[in-house]
Amino acid sequence: MPAEVFDSVAWDDIRRALANKPKMYQLWYGKQVSGYCGTGERISMYDKEADDKCPNCGKAKEDAAHLNVLLQENQSLLLLQFIKIKNLISK
């Protein structure tokens, strides 16, 4: 990132916006906006045997932006199942 772009980021605003969020949300946010999350594109950079395609739709070079636009019924069901399991474990 060029210095002028870095300097134009409203870091204090971001800090304030994330201050009351859970640590895991802050981690997710940082990975998502930087693009360094566990996508096919990133994983295939360090694991040469890994496939860079989206496991849900097959799009080549799955990236962070793709995770936010890919809406499939199965993903929503998987998320709901995860939330239910997490709630059972935390009780």
Side-chain angles (χ1 to χ4, degrees), residues 4 10 15 20 22 26 28 32-33 35 45-46 49 52 56 59 64-65 68 74 77 81 84-86:
E4 61 273 6
R15 214 172 278 111
N20 295 323
Q26 294 175 19
W28 171 84
Q32 198 64 32
V33 299
M45 291 173 80
Y46 60 81
E49 294 180 19
D52 72 350
N56 294 305
K59 176 193 178 285
N68 289 326
N74 289 342
L77 291 174
Q81 288 172 349
K84 286 178 186 175
I85 290 169
K86 188 174 184 309

Side-chain angles (χ1 to χ4, degrees), residues 23-33 37 67-68:
K23 290 294 179 192
M24 290 308 294
Y25 179 87
Q26 294 175 19
L27 178 63
W28 171 84
Y29 181 84
K31 288 180 173 186
Q32 198 64 32
V33 299
C37 48
L67 297 178
N68 289 326

Side-chain angles (χ1 to χ4, degrees), residues 27-47 50-56 59 61-68 70 75:
L27 178 63
W28 171 84
Y29 181 84
K31 288 180 173 186
Q32 198 64 32
V33 299
S34 69
Y36 283 91
C37 48
T39 62
E41 180 182 47
R42 289 291 171 193
I43 293 170
S44 67
M45 291 173 80
Y46 60 81
D47 181 352
D51 193 348
D52 72 350
K53 293 184 184 123
C54 172
N56 294 305
K59 176 193 178 285
K61 297 204 178 266
E62 175 199 34
D63 59 10
H66 181 69
L67 297 178
N68 289 326
L70 180 67
Q75 282 183 293

